[in-house]
Amino acid sequence: MKRHLLILLVVSIIAPFAAKAQFEKLKDSVVQLYGIVMTADSLKGIPSVSIVVKGQNRGTVSNDQGVFSIVVMKGDQIEFSSIGYKAKLVDIPRNIEGNQYSMIQLLVIDADYLPVTIIKPRPTKEQFERDFVNIDIPADAYEIARQNNDETKRRILAKALPSDGREATNMTLRNNASRYYYYGQAPPQNIFNPFAWSEFVNAWKRGDFKNK
């Protein structure tokens, strides 16, 4: 029992010193990294550059002048990346004295070479005017909508497009209502209906019977 108490006493005395030494070691490993990201050719600050600690979900971005600041550990790898520039991987030295480290990081433009395009002039002004007038420009959404609202186009679409469920139901209900209304008697003949004759004349003028 005395032995266990002695071991517990020794551990309680040594533990604070060990924790303090570990904290001091961790504190000495933390580095405040700050600097500026610039173009390699013109030495101009690059905004919105992504600065990420590799292998960790930590990072930051540079401001409008290319300046950045981030907390890292000694020995970390920092990746600089931005659209239009080649990514750069930088190692933070392990033998840094103190807890601050500054740097100027240069990024090289990543050029994408597109296929060669050869622009040739028209031989004559007359040929250019002819080709310009006869060029086939595809219709945009407004032109397609205007064409679909044309009366002739609407009549063609009305004949070709099948009825949906709502239209078919309404037609069935109207036919049933008309049949039930004249149930047990002869329905009237539209040949004596002036409204039917008016609709017939309008349909004739529109040309509804040309293809029949």
Side-chain angles (χ1 to χ4, degrees), residues 13-28:
I13 295 174
I14 296 177
F17 293 99
K20 183 178 180 181
Q22 187 176 4
F23 175 75
E24 292 295 333
K25 182 178 179 181
L26 179 63
K27 181 180 178 182
D28 184 64

Side-chain angles (χ1 to χ4, degrees), residues 27-101:
K27 181 180 178 182
D28 184 64
S29 299
V30 177
V31 176
Q32 181 69 40
L33 176 65
Y34 59 93
I36 183 173
V37 186
M38 307 176 71
T39 58
D41 54 353
S42 58
L43 299 180
K44 293 183 179 180
I46 306 175
S48 302
V49 177
S50 177
I51 300 103
V52 179
V53 181
K54 190 174 182 180
Q56 303 181 25
N57 295 325
R58 296 192 301 108
T60 185
V61 293
S62 61
N63 63 8
D64 295 340
Q65 289 76 35
V67 179
F68 69 94
S69 177
I70 185 175
V71 176
V72 298
M73 304 291 289
K74 295 180 181 179
D76 283 344
Q77 287 185 320
I78 311 301
E79 185 177 10
F80 296 83
S81 60
S82 180
I83 298 177
Y85 296 90
K86 294 182 179 180
K88 184 69 176 181
L89 192 63
V90 178
D91 294 327
I92 303 300
R94 297 182 180 273
N95 56 352
I96 298 176
E97 296 182 0
N99 299 103
Q100 291 187 348
Y101 187 70

Side-chain angles (χ1 to χ4, degrees), residues 138-191:
D140 56 6
Y142 293 102
E143 179 62 21
I144 295 175
R146 189 190 65 79
Q147 294 176 1
N148 290 337
N149 286 325
D150 183 69
E151 185 177 358
T152 304
K153 184 68 172 294
R154 283 190 285 111
R155 289 202 304 269
I156 296 175
L157 292 176
K159 294 180 180 178
L161 293 178
S163 302
D164 58 7
R166 183 176 181 181
E167 293 175 343
T169 302
N170 292 336
M171 179 63 70
T172 302
L173 292 176
R174 286 196 298 268
N175 292 336
N176 291 339
S178 179
R179 186 171 65 254
Y180 297 151
Y181 185 81
Y182 296 106
Y183 184 77
Q185 57 180 326
Q189 300 295 327
N190 285 331
I191 191 172

